[in-house]
Amino acid sequence: MSPSSRDSAAGAGWHSQEPGTFRRLMPAKVEKISWLNPATLWKARNGPLASLFGDPTGHQRSRWVREQVARGASPDLLIERDDPDTYSFMLIADTGEGGASQYAVVPGFLKMSEGTRFAVLSSDVIYPVGSGNEYGNKFFRPYQDYAAPIYAVPGNHDWYDGNNGFMRVFCDAPALPPEPGPKVLSAAWWRGLLWRSPEAVDERRLAEARALRPSPAQRDVQPGPYWAVDSGPLRIIGIDTGLLGGIDQEQGEWLKCVSRGPKPKILVTGSPIYVDNEYHPCAIEGGGTVDDIVRDPAYNYVAAIGGDIHNYQHYPVDVDGRTIEYVVSGGGGAFMHATHTIPRISTAGVTERDFRCYPLRADSLAFYARLYGRRLHLRRFFELTSEEASAVIAERLGIPATRATDEPVTLRMRMVAALLGVAAKPRRGARVRLPVRKIYAGAFSPSSVTYTPPFFKSFLRLDVTPDHLRIRCFAATGSLDQELDPPLEDEFTVKLR
């Protein structure tokens, strides 16, 4: 098995000399997304507008579901499958930027997906605004050689287009009929003045894109933006958290209904519940949270896996004597959200000993130090080797280095770490904490799009038996040797009975 980032800097992809084959899969012309471009931010304006003037996602989602049921979808939105008791499937998320970092995931994904029955795509299928006209190079082309169906739950970027593109591609749904306008001077009226309308889907262009995955074995129409699938001994439930990361009351009632029964369950969501040492239980309109349902022993959830954050994190949380595996898995192709800004783990009884992330904090810090050293033409000051990054992370957080190093920590290294958002070990009695990490994640991470390996992307393979569920996280760095043998970054097993 190929060494991982936990074994060595070479395993992290720092010293690879031979680039991978993924560029051969890419189209001749690639649209480069800049998250600092005002035009891109203007296209994605519906999120801030929903925060200011009210979120219409719940109402529109209900309309989508009603239309689907009227067209023949089962009211319980259950996907019927005939999977055996022992099988495997893939999970990937936050994929659709269409550039090198998305395509770099594909060779390893295809290799490790051999023999799997289906894949699940959790969150943000298409960037920047979920347009149905961009699925060709950002969905159908990269996964054209994956021989099984792909089910998906939308992310907030898919909702920037009113979920039109997502519903057309995955649910074969036509556009919703128009509704009467809101009352003049109401909050909805003010929102509508600036709201970005969905882009009409070019059916000819979509047909050409679909031709890239032409086999009947590759296609399965899902019933709605949220769904459940009985698959062997498991029930997998995908929820749609819309623009702002919550779910409407109607979906909440549906979630309780499909969660009943003793069969073990996995929740797939566009908004992770534990992330960056914080707890986000996902509010349900009208009261309660999604995590209330996940934690209820009557529903028998064993894991909750969310996208949206573009890295990998794993929190095994003890809930009244049983472990629920909370996972962030959003490293499927978009820009990398930093992990070096994650503080020392101390949430829900999970400690550094239990916690896993990819990329390692040290590799994240070295990645950003290289990036900003080159962009600011201050390489001699900013750039850190992976060994230097490992040493300064260990010192600032007060944790053992994942990869052992005897590198001495200098003032320059401490200054770079502080400037790039590495948290300091909390001092006794300290009350004020600057929101450096949140500022960094919101403002600096989106500018980290790079076309040079290592990319630090990841995906999951889940192997199911009647007794156990094994979850493995594999890395994709963009180097040839790690395409041929993807490094295993995390692995754990869940008892199903």
Side-chain angles (χ1 to χ4, degrees):
M1 181 178 294
S2 177
S4 75
S5 68
R6 305 185 74 83
D7 299 316
S8 65
W14 285 115
H15 308 311
S16 176
Q17 300 299 314
E18 191 167 1
T21 62
F22 63 91
R23 294 188 188 276
R24 303 174 195 170
L25 308 174
M26 297 172 63
K29 184 177 181 181
V30 175
E31 174 196 6
K32 294 184 178 181
I33 298 174
S34 171
W35 293 101
L36 299 183
N37 186 333
T40 302
L41 299 176
W42 178 245
K43 284 183 180 180
R45 63 188 179 271
N46 287 3
L49 288 173
S51 297
L52 289 171
F53 298 108
D55 184 5
T57 301
H59 171 70
Q60 193 162 358
R61 185 191 293 120
S62 294
R63 293 183 66 208
W64 280 119
V65 172
R66 286 197 301 271
E67 290 288 331
Q68 285 297 98
V69 172
R71 294 175 66 238
S74 169
D76 60 9
L77 304 181
L78 188 65
I79 299 170
E80 300 288 348
R81 292 190 55 86
D82 60 351
D83 299 309
D85 284 347
T86 298
Y87 71 99
S88 301
F89 68 99
M90 304 296 289
L91 190 142
I92 192 168
D94 300 283
T95 53
E97 282 196 353
S101 62
Q102 177 179 9
Y103 280 84
V105 180
V106 174
F109 174 86
L110 293 176
K111 179 176 179 60
M112 299 314 302
S113 69
E114 292 174 1
T116 58
R117 303 275 298 188
F118 59 89
V120 173
L121 206 167
S122 167
S123 179
D124 291 338
V125 184
I126 300 294
Y127 292 97
V129 292
S131 171
N133 296 319
E134 297 185 22
Y135 271 77
N137 288 336
K138 296 180 179 180
F139 176 73
F140 288 102
R141 177 184 289 272
Y143 312 117
Q144 61 185 314
D145 293 325
Y146 181 63
I150 299 175
Y151 305 108
V153 294
N156 59 314
H157 286 268
D158 301 305
W159 271 101
Y160 290 155
D161 192 53
N163 220 26
N164 273 36
F166 180 97
M167 292 297 296
R168 185 72 190 89
V169 170
F170 290 100
C171 305
D172 205 19
L176 290 172
E179 282 190 308
K183 291 181 179 180
V184 177
L185 299 183
S186 65
W189 182 83
W190 287 109
R191 183 183 64 220
L193 293 178
L194 295 174
W195 196 257
R196 182 184 184 276
S197 299
E199 188 175 288
V201 175
D202 183 331
E203 294 295 335
R204 179 191 59 81
R205 189 172 172 182
L206 179 58
E208 291 174 353
R210 286 192 191 277
L212 295 170
R213 283 177 53 86
S215 169
Q218 293 176 305
R219 298 193 61 188
D220 194 0
V221 177
Q222 65 186 55
Y226 53 90
W227 42 264
V229 54
D230 277 328
S231 182
L234 274 180
R235 173 166 281 194
I236 304 163
I237 298 173
I239 61 171
D240 171 12
T241 55
L243 280 171
L244 301 181
I247 70 173
D248 58 278
Q249 189 171 7
E250 180 181 308
Q251 186 179 179
E253 292 301 320
W254 168 86
L255 178 60
K256 289 179 182 177
C257 183
V258 297
S259 297
R260 294 186 183 122
K263 179 173 278 195
K265 298 169 187 74
I266 295 175
L267 181 77
V268 175
T269 169
S271 298
I273 293 174
Y274 284 95
V275 58
D276 295 348
N277 201 41
E278 296 178 351
Y279 179 51
H280 300 275
C282 187
I284 300 175
E285 182 186 25
T289 70
V290 167
D291 199 41
D292 291 339
I293 297 172
V294 171
R295 287 169 172 260
D296 190 328
Y299 297 133
N300 199 18
Y301 277 90
V302 297
I305 305 174
D308 188 53
I309 303 301
H310 307 166
N311 53 47
Y312 173 83
Q313 300 175 45
H314 174 206
Y315 300 81
V317 177
D318 182 273
V319 179
D320 298 327
R322 60 195 180 96
T323 299
I324 299 178
E325 310 289 350
Y326 291 89
V327 175
V328 179
S329 182
F335 66 84
M336 183 186 82
H337 276 122
T339 59
H340 67 265
T341 56
I342 301 173
R344 181 171 174 166
I345 299 300
S346 58
T347 184
V350 180
T351 65
E352 282 292 331
R353 184 184 63 182
D354 312 309
F355 173 71
R356 294 289 183 273
C357 68
Y358 179 80
L360 297 178
R361 291 183 180 96
D363 291 322
S364 172
L365 178 59
F367 174 94
Y368 277 88
R370 181 182 70 171
L371 181 72
Y372 284 103
R374 293 177 180 181
R375 288 187 178 177
L376 298 175
H377 303 288
L378 294 170
R379 294 177 63 174
R380 291 184 64 183
F381 173 72
F382 263 105
E383 288 199 8
L384 301 175
T385 66
S386 61
E387 291 79 11
E388 289 173 331
S390 184
V392 73
I393 287 281
E395 179 188 85
R396 283 187 66 84
L397 295 187
I399 61 176
T402 305
R403 296 195 300 261
T405 177
D406 55 3
E407 191 75 34
V409 179
T410 66
L411 176 61
R412 179 188 72 90
M413 292 159 57
R414 293 187 182 103
M415 291 174 65
V416 170
L419 287 170
L420 294 183
V422 178
K425 183 179 179 181
R427 297 192 305 271
R428 182 176 297 177
R431 294 183 179 181
V432 179
R433 293 184 64 184
L434 296 176
V436 174
R437 183 187 54 78
K438 290 186 178 180
I439 294 171
Y440 200 92
F444 294 114
S445 283
S447 69
S448 69
V449 176
T450 179
Y451 297 90
T452 304
F455 292 112
F456 297 112
K457 303 305 170 193
S458 58
F459 57 89
L460 305 184
R461 176 174 169 130
L462 298 91
D463 303 303
V464 183
T465 73
D467 300 314
H468 295 92
L469 166 67
R470 179 172 65 158
I471 300 179
R472 289 179 286 172
C473 172
F474 292 96
T477 64
S479 65
L480 180 62
D481 56 335
Q482 292 174 330
E483 277 186 359
L484 299 173
D485 188 11
L488 178 63
E489 293 293 337
D490 192 23
E491 176 178 11
F492 56 96
T493 300
V494 181
K495 290 183 180 180
L496 296 184
R497 66 182 185 188

